[in-house]
Amino acid sequence: MEATDISSAGVMIFEAILEDEVFRFDCSIDDRAAAFPSLSFTDPKTREAPVKSSRVPQFIPTFESKFGKQIVNIQFPSGSSFYGTGEVSGPLERTGRRIFTWNTDAWGYGSGTTSLYQSHPWVMALLPDGKALGVLADTTRRCEVDLREESTIKFTASSAYPVITFGPFETPAEVLMRLSRAIGTVFMPPKWSLGYHQCRWSYDSDEKVMKIAQTFRDKGIPCDVIWMDIDYMDGFRCFTFDKERFPDPKSLFRDLHARGFNAIWMLDPGIKREPGYFVYDSGCEKDAWILKEDQEPFVGDVWPGPCVFPDYTREETRQWWAKLVRDFISNGVDGIWNDMNEPAVFKVVTKTMPESNIHRGDAELGGNQNHSHYHNVYGMLMARSTYEGMRMSSAQKRPFVLTRAGFIGSQRYAATWTGDNLANWEHLHMSIPMMLQLSLSGQPLSGPDIGGYAGNASPKLFGRWMGVGAMFPFSRGHSETDTIDHEPWSFGEECEEVCRLALLRRYRLIPHIYTLFYMAHTKGTPVAAPTFFADPKDPRLRSVENSFLMGPLLICASTVPDKGSDELQFVLPKGIWLRFDFGDAHPDLPNLYLQGGSIIPMGPAVQHVGETNPTDELFLMIALDENGRAEGVLFEDDGDGYDFIRGGYLLTYYVAELHSSSVTVKVSRAEGSLERPKRALHVQLLLGGGAMIHARGNDGEEIKFPMPSKAEVSELVAEGEEQYRTLIEKARRIQDIDRSSGKKGAELARIPIEMRRGKWVLQAVPWVGGRLISMTHTPSGYQWLHSRVEIGGYEEHSGLELRSPGCSEEYTIIGRGLPEESDGDSLTMEGDIGGGLVIERRVSVPGGEPEILQIDSSIVARSVGAGSGGFSRLVCLRVNPSFALLHPAEVYISFTSLDGEKREVWPESGEKFLEGNLRPNGEWRLVDPCSGVELVNRFDVSQVERCRIHWGTGTVNMELWSEERPVSKDTPLGISHEYEVKSVT
């Protein structure tokens, strides 16, 4: 099925598929026949079956095919905005960005990271007139999605693949509904899974698990789920339990259920290669493993050590895994967490298995192919098999699976989260657009690790994150080993109270959230959506990132540390939007608004979903439109199982109308065979300013009550606004502590300093070694540095040994140049490295040379004592940048050495020192031929005694070392060098 290497170009051919306004485009009839089966479509046959249509596409792609690559361009009107692209970091609007679909273990990713854990070669285009269109490059291979050219979508991937367009339609919601008819809707989650989830790597014993569970109940903080990370296993062997720390999982299951908790347990794909271990032995009997080119099972290191990996592209392997899952469920497992399934592999540059590995896939999936073909769908196929195993275990319970890796279509089997994020304000802010991008790509059940996975949250950061995270479709707190505790009560009483209020809000809104998921499951509508969904024609809303919609409910959150939600002026859509709260207004909680013309159902404040029952009082929150009317819907069933498919549900449509100074609320229609519970109905009619009037009756009966006069409404609104101000003033504000102590990642909560100049955008963290953590070249969109806040990126040392003074001390900003345009820009920092020495570093973009990034560093003696003769200890200035590799197997370093030889250094070389005449002659280049760019590093050879190259897992260090000697006030050590990005020649 591989396309030829003969160059061709032109306009793509098309045919209608599925329904009107959905078109398939191919480069040629031959390419149409050569395309691999779809793994994104629920029924791959529908992609291959033309339908009759009188419509023609409004936008027709062009293509260029050469050297086995297919490049597709689609041009849209000027002023179009792009969204989607799945799990991506950075801003909500993707216009001007580029990503690569290649599932990657991306611990501590940044805003410019171009490949995360999932792949969605999908873009939603919002046109200037508010209409929307979706574009899917239906390929499982590595795909470049390039949105850097104005109003143009560009896909580049191995030939041949079709492009599917959906629309244009009147609204972006309609695009998602049509997309769902192709790739399927989200599985219907069990109702308990919409509660709050508490997780950590790791709650390492059943005793610890029960202590956490009981503390939630004792403190009155709602929670439904406790998670078990890998330490519950016996030596990280999947499907086993540690006999000392988790001796009786069934008893733990019963104890948790008795307190209203469910339990979710982790399963990774890496199976320990150990004869006698029942999973390994049975997998060998089934010939279940992925093979190397020599037809022997591939073995790679993960948590248990040497592991083999199931080949989920084979039906027989999926069934084998599903039966293991079925049996595993009987131990007391409510849900399963599939992690490390990119698949992640330790101790290799690429962070995954070789692309040459062999999958013996089913014919309908694409047949026998190497790993490069199936890599991006490996996680989805694992989740599918896990989901099917859970379905086999019980006909009365719906599966709940969470997967880290996925592909467009994974929502059919699993929820997801946004991976190993950082405990800082940037990642809090990014968590909103990241969740929304997944929603815009067909995955409505997602959320971040609340509080940040890596590093220590400050109390204010954690409380603020819980405030908004409690409103996400999937709401889970999770943190890494060796960080401080990140439970809601771990940050003091003020933060604990904010977390309690935030989660009580969520639980009151569960009836509304559950209804949104029913609609998402049956119709493909989003659960959470960008604010621009309220008015796609309004350009003000297209880049709004601090608010989002859940149906007609607008959540507006502050993600900046120095201002609460009460201090920000949020951008609201046009029309009627009425603010409300539950008597819980707080600066660290989001503002809530209900759109005029809407009704949302709510329940009582409870500690867990199972605490509710159908006879509980039902609440309706109502905001009338300008015509005095509002509508809303409530879905109810048993909360689990599949009776709802057979009609065992109640779908109630409510209407409220204002007539002659009275408001009537009633049921307009209902669906389903479930009998309406006998329960009280509490109506809350919003007036504005947080004010509301109340009426009570019985659900199913008409409720009629008087509407206050305009003067009375004005008085009530004024009272509501005053009550809001009083609540804000009396709120116990979380202390603004940005430093945690004693554990890993203590400084992640502070805000990096940004420098934008010329063609570069830099981020620096002076408080941890003065390091640069982001170095983005704006024309290419390439973020060159691989960094966590506390390690990596661009750092400098003062000795031959790694981690010598200079890399972790707090630096002081001693100069920030903000001169005229012609003079460039600079940032100067210095850090005290002891013994009277400082490292001084100046980062600049010289005037008139916007493409150059200049760094001048030196070790300077400031106060070396007279008793030392004015000379310091032996020091060596060691410049140590860690660069991220988008294509780890293809990148190399090229230079001409001082002896005149042209040399290339590839990842296989590991570590290499270049000294004497083997040093580069003042320039070496990091070349990425796949991206078509190279990073050129120029330096003064007289200042550099040796160079070091160290290839890591998806990274490379290109170090410059000075000579080693004492320094005095008159004889500092210095290295001056510069970076420039060029096209590969």
Side-chain angles (χ1 to χ4, degrees), residues 955-973:
T955 65
V956 64
N957 294 71
M958 297 173 64
E959 299 184 22
L960 305 175
W961 295 29
S962 74
E963 63 178 322
E964 185 184 31
R965 62 170 171 83
V967 297
S968 69
K969 291 183 179 180
D970 299 322
T971 58
L973 269 177

Side-chain angles (χ1 to χ4, degrees), residues 579 689 716-727 729:
R579 185 186 57 76
L716 289 169
V717 169
E719 290 176 2
E721 291 173 341
E722 179 61 29
Q723 184 179 38
Y724 172 76
R725 285 192 293 270
T726 300
L727 286 170
E729 289 171 3

Side-chain angles (χ1 to χ4, degrees), residues 549-563:
L549 293 162
M550 296 190 79
L553 176 64
L554 180 65
I555 296 106
C556 298
S558 170
T559 58
V560 295
D562 56 342
K563 289 187 178 180

Side-chain angles (χ1 to χ4, degrees), residues 740-795:
S740 306
S741 61
K743 296 241 182 163
K744 180 178 178 180
E747 299 291 350
L748 295 183
R750 298 172 69 177
I751 302 174
I753 292 170
E754 188 169 86
M755 172 180 161
R756 291 175 176 266
R757 202 64 171 183
K759 297 182 179 180
W760 296 93
V761 179
L762 309 179
Q763 286 187 328
V765 285
W767 61 91
V768 190
R771 72 184 65 250
L772 303 180
I773 61 169
S774 178
M775 193 172 98
T776 302
H777 179 251
T778 53
S780 65
Y782 210 124
Q783 203 295 84
W784 288 93
L785 292 178
H786 178 270
S787 178
R788 306 186 292 202
V789 169
E790 81 282 17
I791 194 171
Y794 179 98
E795 62 185 22

Side-chain angles (χ1 to χ4, degrees), residues 751-753 764-771 809-813 827 829:
I751 302 174
I753 292 170
V765 285
W767 61 91
V768 190
R771 72 184 65 250
E809 286 74 14
E810 181 159 1
Y811 280 50
T812 301
I813 298 175
L827 175 66
M829 300 177 283

Side-chain angles (χ1 to χ4, degrees), residues 830-881:
E830 68 172 33
D832 189 336
I833 58 174
L837 301 178
V838 298
I839 291 183
E840 186 175 291
R841 182 185 317 134
R842 183 175 187 269
V843 183
S844 63
V845 176
E849 295 183 286
E851 69 280 0
I852 300 296
L853 176 63
Q854 176 80 29
I855 301 179
D856 303 292
S857 299
S858 57
I859 299 178
V860 180
R862 286 284 169 80
S863 56
V864 178
S868 65
F871 285 91
S872 71
R873 66 183 185 270
L874 283 173
V875 288
C876 168
L877 179 58
R878 181 175 174 182
V879 173
N880 181 17

